[in-house]
Amino acid sequence: MRVPLSWLREFVDLPAATAQEVADSLTAAGLKLESITSHGHDVKNVVVGEVLEIEELTGFKKPIRHCKVEVGEATPREIVCGATNFVVGDRVPVVLPGGVLPGGFEVGARKTYGRMSEGMICSERELGLGDDHDGIMVLPVGTPIGADVVELLGLRDDVIELEITPDVGYALSIRGVAREVATAFGVPFRDPADVELPAEGERSWPASIADPSACDRFVLREVTGFDPAAQSPLWMRVRLTRAGMRPVSLAVDITNYLMLELGQPLHAFDRSKLTGEIVVRRAQPGERLETLDHVVRELNPDDILITDQSGPISMAGTMGGLETEISDVSTDIVIEAAHFSATGISRESRRHNLVSEASKRFERGVDRELPLVASWRAVQLLTELGGATARPGVTHAEVDVEPARVAIPAGHPGAVAGVPYSKETVVRRLEQVGCTVTDGDDPAPRRGGVDPTGVVTGGELAAKLAVSGDDMITVTPPSWRPDLTDPNDLAEEVIRLEGYDNLPSILPKAPAGAGLTEGQRLRRRVGRALAGSGYVEVLSYPFIGTADFDNLQLPGDDARRRALRLANPLADDEPLLRTTLLPGLLKALVRNVGRGFADVALFETGLVYRPREGAPDSAPVLGVERGPTEEELASVAAALPDQPQRVAAVLAGEFERSGWWGGGRQASWADAVQAARLVAGEARVELSVTADQHEPWHPGRCAALYVGDTLVGHAGELHPRVIEAYGLPPRTAAMELDLSRLETAMPGPVDAPAVSAYPIATQDVALIVPDFTPVADVEAALRDGAGELLESVRLFDVYTGEQVGEGNKSLAYTLRFRALDRTLTVEETTAARDAAVALAADRVGAHLRSA
């Protein structure tokens, strides 16, 4: 909402306050400032001149005129001008040599087209008054020659732009903002809606309301003999332009002007195009309407329409119909003003993707008492500026609506703010807002407005608040504040007018605790370990689509295909909550590779969402009027999915970079397995690695990861079809682990290990095993066979070739032995090694490789 300061001063006697001071007061009152724009402060030396002579210059490609203009000096000024829309005797704005136009454009005397030009005759755009650059701006007859145009036209002004949130719809008008400014500065407010209305008398054009849930007040007034050629006065065009609206024609400009000033949208119908009674109703199946933007719209049965005998003629509160619009020959006009359902207009606007200035106001709630006033003001302006004649009478269709009432304790605002407010302060502030305050408790539920889903005020919450024993007051909010429906709404009004800056800043005391949980520590350790190993952490949206399941090559019965659907997804192609971390990571990898980063290693930790068997499709929606019961909480919990914490990593390109030091190493499935081992190490558990076939991994390069007998994840190289579906680099590898299961498997508190002071004894052993034998099985056999003297076992070589036979492989290990209380003998280490080899032979069929 753009608010010209000069328009604001018309209704508020502001002191010598700058635009910034006014904006600061509005910000303190809870309105959000967007910007302050100054107009005309740099303009100087622009005066009113009268055209005395015009000489048409020939020989040029376009019309050029040499004019003599009287500007109130000793001699007329000679000015060369290319516009042709003015004649001798017209009064025009002239910038004299040395003058400055908006934007710092300086004007001087110069020779052009063979003549001396001492200044410039200005158009509206050159003066910063609008976009009209078709010709010179011609001033009204009788405008004083030599007068300062800046003062005459009010060129100097400041415009405050506010961002209007849905709960302060009243501020979408000069009237609403002026009321806030008057309160902030403690000065009187002159309400532009405080006008004397004529007696209603006979009805104007016949009208009725067929659906009270759509509209509760509908007003029509008529004028005849309107001059369609009449121009909007300059002051109106300037204000509309400053407020961000484009002047169109006098009739349209009047409706827009009053909408900006009062906050009440109006619509003008060409009376000659109306047939029969006007009825406000909902749309019927199959109805269509061509709106003013030349779009034919299929109407929804919930749309609110204004109709006559011919059918729909306007989408109520949103946009008028093309058939009944006023044109440049319309002389008889019907002015419509109404109060429509806020939710009905909001849904209609979004349903048709049609947001107008009118719909923005109706969906936030307008003053129900304004239609009579705004329509009469429109008639007055049409008669005054357009030569029209007002037809007597008014059509006023109305549905009785009880005013909303809210009963609260006088001490409630202070209890909310934590600052004591006296009853007098609470009453004074609420009356400044426009509320009517009476003593006593009248918590009877009342419905305000026409919205069938409107909030019932008073009632149970007021009764609970009254237990404190405070004096009860009953508040009737003003008609322009339909948002005040709850005791806390009223508390907010008192607090903001008393000043948010007066609220004390008290930091809450941190509750005593044991710090981070073990699960939180684990996640932090995992993140640091992966980052230290060269992985970069990413955060992706937890949303996926069914295409991701297909791209991951998941079977139709895979549990990961069963996902929760969002009620309002951000994107239509990702309406599900993720059941695996891989889609987000793979898309991030593709994005990085596409931007030139060929060597990528990414990881992410986060929740996945796995629906429970037998869980309801949706959680119940609980009310806010009271706390939930244990049964209600249980019903909500039953609908929640399992949400295990996971960690996943993907890598492509070189994992060890090449450079001047030599060649690098391509990332492979082994790096994905090692990343999983790294994560497990932070959980102080050891992974068992076995071959597996599990989508989306390559069936021959996939490892299942176990802690004991518990499956905790998978790692390996992705399937070629998955790589093709996502557009990944060849041989991309990935791993995914269930951190929640790792946390469950973590051992208790760590005991400090005993450190032996005795030397280490090493034994190397090379075993030949079938090439399909998992290395992890061989290592486990060696550990179990070597006994308690074994300190560590390390695989340092893998060999395949003729020396070990076809279908076999050689695994070479270093076994490190050490005792806590003695130096081991050769016989002891040899016996331990032989025992390890014997158990490996028994378990996996290993035998020693000969030299």
Side-chain angles (χ1 to χ4, degrees):
M1 177 68 187
R2 298 180 182 179
V3 183
L5 198 58
S6 61
W7 202 347
L8 207 60
R9 292 182 184 275
E10 189 172 318
F11 309 117
V12 182
D13 292 328
L14 282 175
T18 64
Q20 186 62 57
E21 291 171 337
V22 174
D24 290 343
S25 70
L26 292 173
T27 301
L31 300 180
K32 183 179 179 182
L33 174 67
E34 280 288 297
S35 63
I36 299 176
T37 306
S38 295
H39 295 275
H41 291 280
D42 53 349
V43 178
K44 64 179 182 179
N45 211 13
V46 182
V47 299
V48 176
E50 181 181 358
V51 180
L52 301 179
E53 297 178 11
I54 298 177
E55 178 186 356
E56 305 286 347
L57 303 182
T58 59
F60 301 102
K61 294 182 180 180
K62 60 180 181 178
I64 300 296
R65 311 169 97 188
H66 180 252
C67 308
K68 286 188 177 181
V69 184
E70 173 62 47
V71 293
E73 297 178 336
T75 58
R77 294 280 185 172
E78 297 184 3
I79 300 175
V80 176
C81 181
T84 59
N85 68 312
F86 60 96
V87 297
V88 172
D90 282 344
R91 304 288 171 94
V92 293
V94 178
V95 55
L96 301 177
V100 180
L101 291 176
F105 178 71
E106 296 186 7
V107 176
R110 64 190 182 97
K111 191 172 184 180
T112 180
Y113 295 102
R115 301 294 181 95
M116 179 60 68
S117 183
E118 302 173 303
M120 186 173 77
I121 306 175
C122 303
S123 67
E124 288 188 12
R125 190 170 74 176
E126 288 162 343
L127 291 174
L129 295 176
D131 296 328
D132 188 2
H133 196 56
D134 295 335
I136 293 304
M137 179 181 182
V138 178
L139 299 173
V141 177
T143 304
I145 297 175
D148 185 357
V149 170
V150 173
E151 297 297 332
L152 181 70
L153 303 182
L155 295 184
R156 292 193 181 98
D157 203 355
D158 293 302
V159 177
I160 301 170
E161 184 172 1
L162 302 171
E163 179 183 331
I164 306 302
T165 53
D167 60 326
V168 288
Y170 66 91
L172 277 171
S173 65
I174 301 297
R175 179 195 187 205
V177 177
R179 183 181 283 106
E180 291 291 339
V181 171
T183 301
F185 284 91
V187 294
F189 166 65
R190 292 182 294 276
D191 191 348
D194 186 15
V195 298
E196 184 177 350
L197 298 176
E200 291 191 6
E202 63 185 32
R203 299 188 75 195
S204 181
W205 192 276
S208 63
I209 298 173
D211 189 343
S213 69
C215 175
D216 62 20
R217 176 163 283 175
F218 191 76
V219 174
L220 297 177
R221 296 185 191 269
E222 295 183 53
V223 297
T224 59
F226 174 74
D227 180 7
Q231 296 293 315
S232 300
L234 180 61
W235 59 266
M236 181 177 288
R237 301 203 306 271
V238 170
R239 283 189 170 178
L240 288 173
T241 302
R242 294 279 195 262
M245 301 197 76
R246 181 176 61 87
V248 179
S249 64
L250 178 58
V252 174
D253 291 350
I254 287 173
T255 60
N256 287 336
Y257 180 84
L258 292 174
M259 178 181 67
L260 290 172
E261 183 175 270
L262 299 175
Q264 171 66 54
L266 300 168
H267 187 69
F269 294 104
D270 187 331
R271 187 178 185 277
S272 65
K273 299 176 182 178
L274 297 176
T275 56
E277 181 184 23
I278 291 178
V279 179
V280 184
R281 60 170 173 83
R282 303 278 180 173
Q284 297 173 357
E287 285 190 311
R288 308 168 73 189
L289 174 66
E290 184 175 2
T291 47
L292 292 174
D293 56 359
H294 298 276
V295 176
V296 178
R297 302 184 185 275
E298 300 288 342
L299 301 175
N300 185 282
D302 287 333
D303 289 340
I304 304 173
L305 301 180
I306 299 174
T307 67
D308 64 4
Q309 288 184 358
S310 65
I313 58 175
S314 176
M315 292 178 65
T318 305
M319 184 172 286
L322 189 64
E323 288 297 322
T324 56
E325 74 166 331
I326 57 175
S327 64
D328 54 4
V329 296
S330 299
T331 57
D332 297 339
I333 296 174
V334 176
I335 295 294
E336 169 252 307
H339 184 255
F340 299 112
S341 163
T343 55
I345 299 301
S346 176
R347 291 168 182 166
E348 177 178 284
S349 173
R350 282 154 180 76
R351 188 181 300 119
H352 294 278
N353 194 24
L354 184 61
V355 179
S356 63
E357 291 293 330
S359 69
K360 284 193 293 186
R361 286 163 173 80
F362 276 121
E363 69 184 11
R364 287 167 170 80
V366 300
D367 187 350
R368 186 177 179 274
E369 302 301 322
L370 276 178
L372 284 169
V373 173
S375 59
W376 175 241
R377 287 282 312 279
V379 167
Q380 287 180 310
L381 289 175
L382 288 170
T383 56
E384 177 184 340
L385 304 176
T389 301
R391 294 194 63 182
V394 58
T395 298
H396 182 195
E398 183 181 16
V399 177
D400 289 336
V401 175
E402 284 286 341
R405 295 179 185 173
V406 185
I408 66 169
H412 179 58
V416 172
V419 176
Y421 298 133
S422 66
K423 180 179 178 180
E424 292 72 18
T425 298
V426 171
V427 172
R428 176 171 56 86
R429 290 303 189 183
L430 291 176
E431 288 178 344
Q432 284 180 332
V433 173
C435 298
T436 301
V437 183
T438 58
D439 287 328
D441 179 6
D442 181 13
R446 307 278 183 170
R447 185 177 299 279
V450 300
D451 191 344
T453 62
V455 179
V456 176
T457 60
E460 184 175 347
L461 180 56
K464 288 183 177 180
L465 295 175
V467 174
S468 62
D470 287 344
D471 289 339
M472 295 296 295
I473 57 176
T474 298
V475 181
T476 303
S479 56
W480 59 84
R481 294 299 304 271
D483 57 303
L484 302 181
T485 59
D486 185 89
N488 289 325
D489 296 333
L490 302 177
E492 181 183 3
E493 293 301 303
V494 175
I495 294 168
R496 74 177 182 88
L497 293 180
E498 282 295 299
Y500 291 120
D501 53 343
N502 293 325
L503 298 179
S505 178
I506 302 174
L507 294 177
K509 294 181 179 179
L516 299 177
T517 65
E518 190 58 38
Q520 291 170 329
R521 292 193 184 96
L522 173 61
R523 290 195 290 275
R524 293 194 178 190
R525 290 199 304 270
V526 166
R528 285 194 293 264
L530 289 173
S533 298
Y535 291 84
V536 177
E537 185 174 16
V538 300
L539 288 174
S540 56
Y541 284 117
F543 311 126
I544 58 175
T546 54
D548 289 307
F549 299 144
D550 298 332
N551 292 342
L552 292 175
Q553 308 298 311
L554 301 185
D557 59 349
D558 194 297
R560 287 169 290 179
R561 280 188 177 270
R562 185 165 177 261
L564 292 175
R565 183 172 294 273
L566 298 168
N568 295 295
L570 293 180
D572 292 337
D573 57 345
E574 291 183 336
L576 307 175
L577 283 174
R578 66 187 177 194
T579 56
T580 169
L581 296 179
L582 291 178
L585 272 174
L586 297 180
K587 293 172 186 176
L589 188 146
V590 169
R591 192 176 302 113
N592 279 273
V593 171
R595 293 177 179 175
F597 300 97
D599 308 314
V600 185
L602 307 175
F603 82 95
E604 180 176 10
T605 58
L607 299 177
V608 299
Y609 307 89
R610 308 296 291 271
R612 299 171 183 168
E613 290 294 337
D617 294 334
S618 60
V621 179
L622 305 182
V624 297
E625 69 278 359
R626 57 174 175 78
T629 64
E630 293 295 333
E631 292 76 12
E632 289 172 335
L633 290 176
S635 66
V636 172
L640 296 178
D642 290 327
Q643 302 176 56
Q645 187 80 29
R646 297 243 178 137
V647 58
V650 295
L651 58 162
E654 290 186 345
F655 191 68
E656 295 178 1
R657 301 296 176 84
S658 57
W660 59 266
W661 52 84
R665 181 178 62 79
Q666 290 293 313
S668 70
W669 62 268
D671 294 300
V673 174
Q674 181 57 31
R677 291 185 185 275
L678 187 67
V679 172
E682 295 301 323
R684 304 193 304 279
V685 297
E686 189 168 339
L687 291 179
S688 298
V689 182
T690 61
D692 195 7
Q693 293 187 16
H694 186 71
E695 293 77 10
W697 284 273
H698 191 294
R701 302 183 184 119
C702 174
L705 309 173
Y706 288 87
V707 175
D709 296 330
T710 302
L711 177 67
V712 295
H714 289 84
E717 181 181 312
L718 293 176
H719 196 288
R721 291 198 188 109
V722 176
I723 291 175
E724 180 181 1
Y726 279 102
L728 302 167
R731 311 299 291 270
T732 297
M735 76 88 180
E736 185 171 18
L737 284 177
D738 193 323
L739 273 180
S740 297
R741 293 182 182 178
L742 285 180
E743 182 183 351
T744 303
M746 288 174 62
V750 178
D751 293 330
V755 179
S756 175
Y758 294 92
I760 290 175
T762 61
Q763 291 274 358
D764 290 345
V765 58
L767 302 176
I768 297 176
V769 297
D771 58 6
F772 58 80
T773 304
V775 173
D777 292 350
V778 178
E779 182 179 322
L782 292 175
R783 286 185 181 277
D784 294 343
E788 62 181 11
L789 293 179
L790 181 66
E791 184 175 87
S792 67
V793 55
R794 183 177 68 89
L795 175 68
F796 67 86
D797 184 57
V798 178
Y799 172 76
T800 57
E802 294 181 359
Q803 296 182 19
V804 297
E806 185 176 356
N808 294 326
K809 61 184 176 183
S810 171
L811 305 176
Y813 290 91
T814 294
L815 308 180
R816 291 162 53 97
F817 299 94
R818 177 151 46 187
L820 291 174
D821 56 351
R822 67 188 186 281
T823 299
L824 294 177
T825 65
V826 174
E827 291 77 12
E828 288 178 303
T829 57
T830 301
R833 182 203 65 183
D834 292 343
V837 172
L839 187 57
D842 184 56
R843 284 189 182 177
V844 298
H847 63 274
L848 285 171
R849 176 182 173 186
S850 59

